[in-house]
Amino acid sequence: MGNKTVYMKVELNQINYKGDDRELITKDAYDSIKIESSFGQWPSAVGWDAIMIYIVIPFVASGIASGFLNELGSDLYRWSKSKLQKITSDKEDFDETKFFIEMNDCTINIYCYDKEDLQYVTENFEKIMKDAVKQKRESDENIDIDVRDLK
């Protein structure tokens, strides 16, 4: 999967993050993910430290192989440990942080509320995605996941 078939965009709230944070997000290369970052601005109700993570997987949900999810999950975990945890270490206000995972046939939205939720999703990405793919097979709907229901 070394051809970077997955695209990830990390959008940081420009009120509380700096250019150095944005650069750190994209600093190293990963085998399975092409990563970009940008600044966004949201109302304070979203959380001053909110992060929106968009992941585009160019496959249908039922066509995702277990090995692919394993490699993607591994890269996402390493990225979180070396990048995401650094820029969020002094942050506390993540009221409506989200992962948006777009596939050819559905969107999976994962709602997070603090940095521990972000860490949980990146540490358990493969399992969360396998469960979501199974759920997608049973329904034609997009999938909304509240991370608090997973813990």
Side-chain angles (χ1 to χ4, degrees), residues 6-59:
V6 174
Y7 167 77
M8 181 168 79
K9 178 182 173 190
V10 180
E11 193 169 9
L12 305 169
N13 192 340
Q14 71 182 15
I15 291 173
N16 235 15
Y17 291 94
K18 303 179 231 37
D20 291 348
D21 297 327
R22 188 171 164 211
E23 287 176 26
L24 180 65
I25 290 290
T26 59
K27 186 175 180 184
D28 297 321
Y30 294 89
D31 290 338
S32 64
I33 310 170
K34 179 182 181 196
I35 303 173
E36 294 183 5
S37 65
S38 67
F39 286 117
Q41 187 170 354
W42 307 288
S44 62
V46 171
W48 295 114
D49 302 319
I51 298 174
M52 304 301 166
I53 299 174
Y54 304 88
I55 300 174
V56 178
I57 302 173
F59 304 112

Side-chain angles (χ1 to χ4, degrees), residues 94-99 109-121 124 128 144-151:
F94 295 90
D95 294 345
E96 291 188 29
T97 290
K98 296 182 186 88
F99 283 81
N109 302 305
I110 305 173
Y111 300 90
C112 301
Y113 305 94
D114 56 36
K115 60 185 154 197
E116 289 78 20
D117 291 348
L118 284 168
Q119 184 176 343
Y120 181 85
V121 171
N124 296 282
I128 292 168
D144 291 322
I145 300 169
D146 187 318
V147 75
R148 296 174 295 191
D149 296 337
L150 302 176
K151 293 182 172 181

